[in-house]
Amino acid sequence: MLGIDPGLTRCGVGIVDVDRARRGTLVHVGVIRSAPDAEIGERLAVVAAGIREAIAVHRPDAVAVERVFAQQNSHTVMGTAQASGVALLIAAESGLPAATHTPSEVKAAVTGYGSADKRQVQAMIARILRLDAPPQPADAADALAIALCHAWRRGTPGVQAGAGGLTPAQRAWADAERVARTYLRSGS
C-alpha cells in the first residue's frame, strides 16, 4: 500500500505491507522534494518522477492520497491539489486502485483521535510499525499513516473488524466504522 501526503515542496511517500492480522510493516518511506523557486511544471515533474519510481521499485497494490482540505493560504491549497492530482493520475496510469482520505480520517485511524497533532501521529506510526524512532519529517509519517488508514479501511482479506490482535487505534477505527454504518442504515 502506497500512501502519499501531497505537496510541492515536500511530498511524503510511504509504503507498508499489512498482514492478515492487520499488522503493518514498513517497506519504504521518503520525501520527494522540489525547489520552491522552480517553475510549477518542473516541481510537478519532480513529484511525478518520485511517485513513479516508488511504484516501479516497490510495486504497491493500491495508492491512497490525503484529500486536499480548505486552508487559509490558497497558494498552498493549489499546490497541494496539483500534487494530489498528479498522484491520482499516476496511480491510474499504473493500473492501481486509488482512494483519498481526509486528514481527520487518517488521524482517527492511527491514533483513535481525529484531531491528533503531528507528534501524536508520528509517535503512533513508530509504534504501529515497530520503528526505533518516529519517521521524520512529519510528511513521511503522514504518508505512512495514509497508507495504513487505507489498508485498514479497505480491509485485509480474511480479517474481521474487531478480531483479536488489533492495536487500540485499529479497534477504535473499527468501532467508529460500525457506528457510522449503523447511523447510515438508520437514516438518522
Side-chain angles (χ1 to χ4, degrees):
M1 171 62 58
L2 168 59
I4 298 173
D5 181 31
L8 284 178
T9 304
R10 291 182 321 272
C11 179
V13 177
I15 301 174
V16 297
D17 279 336
V18 176
D19 67 17
R20 297 177 76 74
R22 296 172 58 121
R23 285 184 305 254
T25 302
L26 175 66
V27 173
H28 169 76
V29 66
V31 176
I32 303 163
R33 298 177 188 272
S34 72
D37 58 347
E39 293 295 322
I40 186 70
E42 288 178 45
R43 297 179 79 188
L44 290 170
V46 168
V47 169
I51 294 169
R52 284 190 179 103
E53 180 181 356
I55 290 172
V57 170
H58 300 288
R59 300 280 183 217
D61 62 350
V63 176
V65 180
E66 186 173 82
R67 186 175 303 152
V68 178
F69 60 96
Q71 294 178 351
Q72 299 287 8
N73 185 340
S74 63
H75 181 70
T76 300
V77 170
M78 184 61 76
T80 302
Q82 291 167 329
S84 179
V86 164
L88 293 168
L89 172 67
I90 291 168
E93 288 176 345
S94 301
L96 296 172
T100 60
H101 298 283
T102 65
S104 58
E105 283 177 302
V106 173
K107 291 173 185 179
V110 298
T111 70
Y113 178 58
S115 296
D117 65 28
K118 294 277 187 191
R119 284 180 321 179
Q120 291 169 313
V121 171
Q122 287 174 298
M124 281 304 295
I125 291 301
R127 186 172 179 187
I128 291 166
L129 296 176
R130 299 167 307 282
L131 304 175
D132 293 335
Q136 297 289 336
D139 309 278
D142 289 349
L144 292 169
I146 294 159
L148 286 167
C149 171
H150 187 68
W152 293 339
R153 186 163 193 166
R154 75 177 182 166
T156 304
V159 177
Q160 297 297 318
L166 300 181
T167 67
Q170 290 168 324
R171 279 192 298 276
W173 182 255
D175 292 343
E177 284 184 322
R178 277 192 297 278
V179 168
R181 282 192 301 271
T182 302
Y183 178 81
L184 288 173
R185 276 186 286 220
S186 71
S188 299

